[in-house]
Amino acid sequence: MKLATAILVLLTSALATAQDTPPVQPLPAKKPATDAKVWGALIFATNDAKEAAAMEKVQSPAEFADIPQRLGKVFPYERFEVIGQHLQDVFREYESWVVPTKDLFLKVDSKGPAEGGGMNLHLQFWRDQQVVVKTDTVLKPGSPLFIAGPKWRGGQLLFVLVLQQGK
């Protein structure tokens, strides 16, 4: 009888242990593969000094300091103020989002390296929950992409996308 009780206790103990959830081992943190980094900015373009002065300005990185001069060659405005910006990895297998403001943002899908350098990208420009523009482009270092946005406050909103040097 003592042997039967001992076996029953051992079996009960073994079953209880077997039913316990094994300890969870965390998966090693693996950073998704990236193809590049892009800097995106929402720019307010205007000829009105009062409108430009009223804007809450964001300083653009030094490596993109010539963006206002480049914009001036393309758009008929004298003042260009960065009102939002975002530096983003472009993931190889996942979508990336460049979100300089809560209302206007850009979805970026990598299509791999471009022949002759740069990146093949599929872009979707979003305003709130609506896609405004879809396009495929090749973005090369030193050659920013400018997207003309809506007229706003006596000027116009512009979206700038730049492939970061050395990536």
Side-chain angles (χ1 to χ4, degrees), residues 42 83-86 98-105 159:
L42 185 63
I83 58 175
Q85 64 181 325
H86 185 191
V98 178
V99 186
T101 70
K102 66 180 180 118
D103 301 325
L104 297 167
F105 38 92
F159 200 97

Side-chain angles (χ1 to χ4, degrees), residues 103-157:
D103 301 325
L104 297 167
F105 38 92
L106 192 69
K107 179 182 173 203
V108 180
D109 291 302
S110 173
K111 295 173 77 178
E115 200 172 300
M119 293 299 306
N120 285 307
L121 300 173
H122 175 72
L123 305 175
Q124 292 181 4
F125 184 66
W126 289 69
R127 183 176 187 183
D128 294 318
Q129 298 298 315
Q130 185 176 18
V131 177
V132 179
V133 175
K134 290 182 186 180
T135 189
D136 290 326
T137 189
V138 174
L139 194 59
K140 294 188 176 198
S143 184
L145 174 69
F146 301 148
I147 301 171
K151 299 286 184 191
W152 186 67
R153 288 189 179 182
Q156 185 173 8
L157 293 177

